[in-house]
Amino acid sequence: MSDNSNNILLEVKDLETHFRTEEGIVKAVNKVSFTIRKGETVGIVGESGSGKSVTSLSIMGLIPNPPGFIAGGEILYHRPDGSTVDLAKLEEAEMRKYRGNEVAMIFQEPMTSLNPVFTCGDQVLEAILLHKDVNKTEAKKLTLELFDKVQLPDPPRIFDAYPHQLSGGQKQRVMIAMAMSCDPNILIADEPTTALDVTVQKTILELMDDLKREIDSSVIFITHDLGVIAEIADRVIVMYKGNIVEQGSVLDIFANPQHPYTKGLLACRPPLGKRLSKLPTVDDFMGFDADGKMIEKVSSIEEMIASVTITPQQTIDRLVNLKEQEPILQIKNLKTWFPTKRSFFGKVLTWVKAVDDVSFNVYPGETMGLVGESGCGKTTLGRTLLRLAPAREGEVIYKGKSILDLPQAEMKELRKEMQIIFQDPYSSLNPRLTIGNAIMEPMQVHGILGSDNERKDRVIELLETCNMLPDHFNRYPHEFSGGQRQRICIARALALNPQFIICDESVSALDVSVQAQVLNLLIDLREKFKFTYIFISHDLSVVKFMSDRMVVMNQGKVEEMGPADEIYNHPQRAYTQKLINAIPKGELKDIEARKG
């Protein structure tokens, strides 16, 4: 790619974006400088709070004021006609001419970015009418063509559908169609695949790459996952606490990272070719001295990985030892069906077979992974095991006791032993309860310990076990980050001294660095308290790292089952192979092949 100045489309120079808070001014973006050239994809990577999304919102002129404001710097956009405009200095009315038309954005959460009271078609049509000189009939034709381009099934139906009637992947495609509707020169994609299945993610990444080439635009791709960046980016910018700590070509960053933070981000993704006892974290690579100066702890990723690698023989020995015990859980021919259509007289005409004739055993101390795309039945299976969803047929036997027909009083007793950690920690915590009371509540319901003072001591102990502080007891859920909230939910699950825990997508929305810390915590707790887990996720690399054995589910049925390494290295079914192929691997040989 040529490096001359005519090739530069956007220059960000010494950008500073600040927010006013009760504690004073927060410098969310601190003197950030970079360029975007025509036709290239630049990845901006970093954890939540690193400033990557605030940088993109600054470029789009979408920083909410108050409390935010651009305190300094320039955002120079070089227009196709040769003129240059500083987007940071434009008034809102002037900025609207550029936003959506020449610089467009795909937001992280399509459900909150799409208006629930308008059809998907009308929302894209509105963007086209605003920026293009066409009538309504032509705009509708263009919208349907866009829906076809982004591979939405049945574009006329999607045109008339409301956002809540579409899946996550379909909503994301509507957002892409809207962003692409005016052929922008710069497309900013802010975490567009974070909560999607790996297979849907792969499709969306390929789609964005194709559309980028078709309209010859440049892309700023924001994510916390360097594996995704490896698939699509030409250059990488690494941000940490509002600053750029490293930038370079994607090959340079992956082959020879310089900053300890970059090394930590690269190392904390679950590796697919090895089995580790724990995941390296950013904290393993960098720390701070008493003066707040950064210190590098480990310089080599390879050295760090080698220190936590488990041999294949150790893995085999562990599996043999687990299977020498009696199963803690036996699932036999389990079916959970939901009626979808009834006759006039109430007779069920059609069913959704969410769980359809599933059987397997789980052994004490084992982590059984449950993997598959959204809608495959894995969450319904987890809920059925705890009687949170009604089974239609089959047996669930826990410690020799059939639990599907247990009386309510006996089931309540058993719930102490069987817990679930939900996917979304924010919606599973009561916003009106302090986290101390939220953890203490199930202990009060089940009469654990003699008094609230004893329970409070136990809660503080649990918080410390989950790497939280005692003074967090009196804080509310909104005062914590996503990773901290997930640890609070883990502490609450531990409050009843359970033996069997279902983790339902419990790390899917977390940054890779925070995800590594939570996964390590779950493994430490398993070793310390001899827990048995069922670990549910659509991310096969995470399931492979966590699990001894793995069940692959597809359309309510078991597609294949076996030791986690065996399934990854020698998948027997085409569906499993498709899941494995969709994982962003971030390996050097793949990047070199792509750069050609």
PDB file of all heavy atoms in Angstrom, residues 59-80:
ATOM      1  N   ILE A  59     -14.923  10.836  16.238  1.00  0.00           N
ATOM      2  CA  ILE A  59     -14.850  10.986  14.774  1.00  0.00           C
ATOM      3  C   ILE A  59     -16.247  11.223  14.199  1.00  0.00           C
ATOM      4  O   ILE A  59     -16.435  12.043  13.303  1.00  0.00           O
ATOM      5  CB  ILE A  59     -14.199   9.738  14.132  1.00  0.00           C
ATOM      6  CG1 ILE A  59     -12.737   9.606  14.575  1.00  0.00           C
ATOM      7  CG2 ILE A  59     -14.290   9.792  12.599  1.00  0.00           C
ATOM      8  CD1 ILE A  59     -12.087   8.270  14.213  1.00  0.00           C
ATOM      9  N   MET A  60     -17.244  10.530  14.755  1.00  0.00           N
ATOM     10  CA  MET A  60     -18.625  10.646  14.255  1.00  0.00           C
ATOM     11  C   MET A  60     -19.352  11.883  14.783  1.00  0.00           C
ATOM     12  O   MET A  60     -20.484  12.156  14.384  1.00  0.00           O
ATOM     13  CB  MET A  60     -19.432   9.396  14.680  1.00  0.00           C
ATOM     14  CG  MET A  60     -19.023   8.121  13.979  1.00  0.00           C
ATOM     15  SD  MET A  60     -19.362   8.118  12.213  1.00  0.00           S
ATOM     16  CE  MET A  60     -21.149   8.108  12.178  1.00  0.00           C
ATOM     17  N   GLY A  61     -18.742  12.612  15.715  1.00  0.00           N
ATOM     18  CA  GLY A  61     -19.421  13.766  16.317  1.00  0.00           C
ATOM     19  C   GLY A  61     -20.582  13.358  17.194  1.00  0.00           C
ATOM     20  O   GLY A  61     -21.600  14.038  17.271  1.00  0.00           O
ATOM     21  N   LEU A  62     -20.432  12.214  17.874  1.00  0.00           N
ATOM     22  CA  LEU A  62     -21.533  11.673  18.685  1.00  0.00           C
ATOM     23  C   LEU A  62     -21.207  11.641  20.182  1.00  0.00           C
ATOM     24  O   LEU A  62     -21.838  10.908  20.942  1.00  0.00           O
ATOM     25  CB  LEU A  62     -21.893  10.257  18.208  1.00  0.00           C
ATOM     26  CG  LEU A  62     -22.544  10.170  16.821  1.00  0.00           C
ATOM     27  CD1 LEU A  62     -22.699   8.721  16.387  1.00  0.00           C
ATOM     28  CD2 LEU A  62     -23.910  10.863  16.803  1.00  0.00           C
ATOM     29  N   ILE A  63     -20.209  12.404  20.614  1.00  0.00           N
ATOM     30  CA  ILE A  63     -19.906  12.465  22.052  1.00  0.00           C
ATOM     31  C   ILE A  63     -21.019  13.268  22.738  1.00  0.00           C
ATOM     32  O   ILE A  63     -21.286  14.415  22.367  1.00  0.00           O
ATOM     33  CB  ILE A  63     -18.541  13.151  22.294  1.00  0.00           C
ATOM     34  CG1 ILE A  63     -17.399  12.306  21.700  1.00  0.00           C
ATOM     35  CG2 ILE A  63     -18.299  13.405  23.783  1.00  0.00           C
ATOM     36  CD1 ILE A  63     -17.160  10.977  22.369  1.00  0.00           C
ATOM     37  N   PRO A  64     -21.711  12.657  23.716  1.00  0.00           N
ATOM     38  CA  PRO A  64     -22.805  13.389  24.387  1.00  0.00           C
ATOM     39  C   PRO A  64     -22.257  14.559  25.211  1.00  0.00           C
ATOM     40  O   PRO A  64     -21.383  14.367  26.047  1.00  0.00           O
ATOM     41  CB  PRO A  64     -23.450  12.321  25.287  1.00  0.00           C
ATOM     42  CG  PRO A  64     -22.387  11.281  25.485  1.00  0.00           C
ATOM     43  CD  PRO A  64     -21.504  11.311  24.285  1.00  0.00           C
ATOM     44  N   ASN A  65     -22.765  15.752  24.944  1.00  0.00           N
ATOM     45  CA  ASN A  65     -22.278  16.949  25.652  1.00  0.00           C
ATOM     46  C   ASN A  65     -23.463  17.693  26.265  1.00  0.00           C
ATOM     47  O   ASN A  65     -24.310  18.187  25.529  1.00  0.00           O
ATOM     48  CB  ASN A  65     -21.553  17.856  24.660  1.00  0.00           C
ATOM     49  CG  ASN A  65     -20.880  19.043  25.361  1.00  0.00           C
ATOM     50  OD1 ASN A  65     -20.987  19.198  26.572  1.00  0.00           O
ATOM     51  ND2 ASN A  65     -20.208  19.874  24.592  1.00  0.00           N
ATOM     52  N   PRO A  66     -23.553  17.821  27.616  1.00  0.00           N
ATOM     53  CA  PRO A  66     -22.676  17.211  28.617  1.00  0.00           C
ATOM     54  C   PRO A  66     -22.906  15.697  28.683  1.00  0.00           C
ATOM     55  O   PRO A  66     -23.920  15.246  28.177  1.00  0.00           O
ATOM     56  CB  PRO A  66     -23.109  17.922  29.901  1.00  0.00           C
ATOM     57  CG  PRO A  66     -24.557  18.268  29.676  1.00  0.00           C
ATOM     58  CD  PRO A  66     -24.679  18.556  28.211  1.00  0.00           C
ATOM     59  N   PRO A  67     -21.989  14.973  29.334  1.00  0.00           N
ATOM     60  CA  PRO A  67     -20.795  15.385  30.100  1.00  0.00           C
ATOM     61  C   PRO A  67     -19.521  15.421  29.258  1.00  0.00           C
ATOM     62  O   PRO A  67     -18.483  15.844  29.736  1.00  0.00           O
ATOM     63  CB  PRO A  67     -20.706  14.296  31.162  1.00  0.00           C
ATOM     64  CG  PRO A  67     -21.197  13.066  30.457  1.00  0.00           C
ATOM     65  CD  PRO A  67     -22.250  13.524  29.489  1.00  0.00           C
ATOM     66  N   GLY A  68     -19.547  14.915  27.990  1.00  0.00           N
ATOM     67  CA  GLY A  68     -18.315  14.783  27.230  1.00  0.00           C
ATOM     68  C   GLY A  68     -18.042  15.966  26.319  1.00  0.00           C
ATOM     69  O   GLY A  68     -18.961  16.700  25.945  1.00  0.00           O
ATOM     70  N   PHE A  69     -16.788  16.124  25.940  1.00  0.00           N
ATOM     71  CA  PHE A  69     -16.425  17.178  24.979  1.00  0.00           C
ATOM     72  C   PHE A  69     -15.043  16.892  24.417  1.00  0.00           C
ATOM     73  O   PHE A  69     -14.216  16.245  25.068  1.00  0.00           O
ATOM     74  CB  PHE A  69     -16.462  18.568  25.632  1.00  0.00           C
ATOM     75  CG  PHE A  69     -15.510  18.736  26.791  1.00  0.00           C
ATOM     76  CD1 PHE A  69     -14.270  19.351  26.633  1.00  0.00           C
ATOM     77  CD2 PHE A  69     -15.863  18.267  28.068  1.00  0.00           C
ATOM     78  CE1 PHE A  69     -13.398  19.487  27.706  1.00  0.00           C
ATOM     79  CE2 PHE A  69     -14.986  18.409  29.146  1.00  0.00           C
ATOM     80  CZ  PHE A  69     -13.751  19.019  28.959  1.00  0.00           C
ATOM     81  N   ILE A  70     -14.817  17.356  23.180  1.00  0.00           N
ATOM     82  CA  ILE A  70     -13.489  17.238  22.577  1.00  0.00           C
ATOM     83  C   ILE A  70     -12.661  18.413  23.086  1.00  0.00           C
ATOM     84  O   ILE A  70     -12.972  19.574  22.819  1.00  0.00           O
ATOM     85  CB  ILE A  70     -13.577  17.208  21.036  1.00  0.00           C
ATOM     86  CG1 ILE A  70     -14.254  15.902  20.590  1.00  0.00           C
ATOM     87  CG2 ILE A  70     -12.184  17.322  20.413  1.00  0.00           C
ATOM     88  CD1 ILE A  70     -14.481  15.772  19.103  1.00  0.00           C
ATOM     89  N   ALA A  71     -11.615  18.099  23.851  1.00  0.00           N
ATOM     90  CA  ALA A  71     -10.833  19.146  24.525  1.00  0.00           C
ATOM     91  C   ALA A  71      -9.687  19.660  23.663  1.00  0.00           C
ATOM     92  O   ALA A  71      -9.124  20.721  23.943  1.00  0.00           O
ATOM     93  CB  ALA A  71     -10.290  18.599  25.842  1.00  0.00           C
ATOM     94  N   GLY A  72      -9.325  18.909  22.623  1.00  0.00           N
ATOM     95  CA  GLY A  72      -8.219  19.362  21.791  1.00  0.00           C
ATOM     96  C   GLY A  72      -7.950  18.408  20.653  1.00  0.00           C
ATOM     97  O   GLY A  72      -8.485  17.288  20.608  1.00  0.00           O
ATOM     98  N   GLY A  73      -7.132  18.860  19.711  1.00  0.00           N
ATOM     99  CA  GLY A  73      -6.750  18.007  18.589  1.00  0.00           C
ATOM    100  C   GLY A  73      -7.595  18.242  17.350  1.00  0.00           C
ATOM    101  O   GLY A  73      -8.534  19.039  17.348  1.00  0.00           O
ATOM    102  N   GLU A  74      -7.238  17.527  16.283  1.00  0.00           N
ATOM    103  CA  GLU A  74      -7.933  17.672  15.000  1.00  0.00           C
ATOM    104  C   GLU A  74      -8.357  16.299  14.479  1.00  0.00           C
ATOM    105  O   GLU A  74      -7.688  15.293  14.726  1.00  0.00           O
ATOM    106  CB  GLU A  74      -6.991  18.310  13.966  1.00  0.00           C
ATOM    107  CG  GLU A  74      -6.499  19.704  14.325  1.00  0.00           C
ATOM    108  CD  GLU A  74      -5.433  20.171  13.345  1.00  0.00           C
ATOM    109  OE1 GLU A  74      -4.366  19.520  13.269  1.00  0.00           O
ATOM    110  OE2 GLU A  74      -5.670  21.174  12.655  1.00  0.00           O
ATOM    111  N   ILE A  75      -9.474  16.285  13.728  1.00  0.00           N
ATOM    112  CA  ILE A  75      -9.914  15.079  13.011  1.00  0.00           C
ATOM    113  C   ILE A  75     -10.078  15.509  11.563  1.00  0.00           C
ATOM    114  O   ILE A  75     -11.141  16.010  11.160  1.00  0.00           O
ATOM    115  CB  ILE A  75     -11.234  14.516  13.592  1.00  0.00           C
ATOM    116  CG1 ILE A  75     -11.087  14.226  15.090  1.00  0.00           C
ATOM    117  CG2 ILE A  75     -11.651  13.257  12.848  1.00  0.00           C
ATOM    118  CD1 ILE A  75     -12.403  13.929  15.806  1.00  0.00           C
ATOM    119  N   LEU A  76      -9.013  15.389  10.784  1.00  0.00           N
ATOM    120  CA  LEU A  76      -8.992  15.929   9.418  1.00  0.00           C
ATOM    121  C   LEU A  76      -9.470  14.869   8.427  1.00  0.00           C
ATOM    122  O   LEU A  76      -8.834  13.814   8.259  1.00  0.00           O
ATOM    123  CB  LEU A  76      -7.578  16.389   9.055  1.00  0.00           C
ATOM    124  CG  LEU A  76      -6.949  17.450   9.970  1.00  0.00           C
ATOM    125  CD1 LEU A  76      -5.529  17.759   9.537  1.00  0.00           C
ATOM    126  CD2 LEU A  76      -7.799  18.720   9.999  1.00  0.00           C
ATOM    127  N   TYR A  77     -10.594  15.173   7.762  1.00  0.00           N
ATOM    128  CA  TYR A  77     -11.159  14.266   6.765  1.00  0.00           C
ATOM    129  C   TYR A  77     -10.858  14.837   5.378  1.00  0.00           C
ATOM    130  O   TYR A  77     -11.252  15.961   5.066  1.00  0.00           O
ATOM    131  CB  TYR A  77     -12.668  14.118   6.995  1.00  0.00           C
ATOM    132  CG  TYR A  77     -13.390  13.402   5.885  1.00  0.00           C
ATOM    133  CD1 TYR A  77     -12.966  12.145   5.454  1.00  0.00           C
ATOM    134  CD2 TYR A  77     -14.506  13.979   5.268  1.00  0.00           C
ATOM    135  CE1 TYR A  77     -13.638  11.489   4.434  1.00  0.00           C
ATOM    136  CE2 TYR A  77     -15.178  13.318   4.255  1.00  0.00           C
ATOM    137  CZ  TYR A  77     -14.736  12.074   3.831  1.00  0.00           C
ATOM    138  OH  TYR A  77     -15.388  11.425   2.813  1.00  0.00           O
ATOM    139  N   HIS A  78     -10.126  14.065   4.575  1.00  0.00           N
ATOM    140  CA  HIS A  78      -9.769  14.494   3.218  1.00  0.00           C
ATOM    141  C   HIS A  78     -10.837  13.993   2.253  1.00  0.00           C
ATOM    142  O   HIS A  78     -10.921  12.802   1.977  1.00  0.00           O
ATOM    143  CB  HIS A  78      -8.382  13.953   2.831  1.00  0.00           C
ATOM    144  CG  HIS A  78      -7.301  14.420   3.755  1.00  0.00           C
ATOM    145  ND1 HIS A  78      -6.826  15.706   3.757  1.00  0.00           N
ATOM    146  CD2 HIS A  78      -6.620  13.774   4.746  1.00  0.00           C
ATOM    147  CE1 HIS A  78      -5.887  15.837   4.683  1.00  0.00           C
ATOM    148  NE2 HIS A  78      -5.749  14.673   5.305  1.00  0.00           N
ATOM    149  N   ARG A  79     -11.648  14.911   1.742  1.00  0.00           N
ATOM    150  CA  ARG A  79     -12.799  14.553   0.903  1.00  0.00           C
ATOM    151  C   ARG A  79     -12.345  14.143  -0.502  1.00  0.00           C
ATOM    152  O   ARG A  79     -11.266  14.544  -0.953  1.00  0.00           O
ATOM    153  CB  ARG A  79     -13.762  15.730   0.824  1.00  0.00           C
ATOM    154  CG  ARG A  79     -14.268  16.175   2.203  1.00  0.00           C
ATOM    155  CD  ARG A  79     -15.408  17.157   2.069  1.00  0.00           C
ATOM    156  NE  ARG A  79     -16.567  16.533   1.460  1.00  0.00           N
ATOM    157  CZ  ARG A  79     -17.561  17.228   0.876  1.00  0.00           C
ATOM    158  NH1 ARG A  79     -17.513  18.548   0.830  1.00  0.00           N
ATOM    159  NH2 ARG A  79     -18.586  16.599   0.340  1.00  0.00           N
ATOM    160  N   PRO A  80     -13.199  13.386  -1.206  1.00  0.00           N
ATOM    161  CA  PRO A  80     -12.838  12.961  -2.563  1.00  0.00           C
ATOM    162  C   PRO A  80     -12.569  14.122  -3.518  1.00  0.00           C
ATOM    163  O   PRO A  80     -11.801  13.980  -4.475  1.00  0.00           O
ATOM    164  CB  PRO A  80     -14.080  12.164  -3.014  1.00  0.00           C
ATOM    165  CG  PRO A  80     -14.728  11.710  -1.755  1.00  0.00           C
ATOM    166  CD  PRO A  80     -14.468  12.773  -0.745  1.00  0.00           C
TER     167      PRO A  80
END
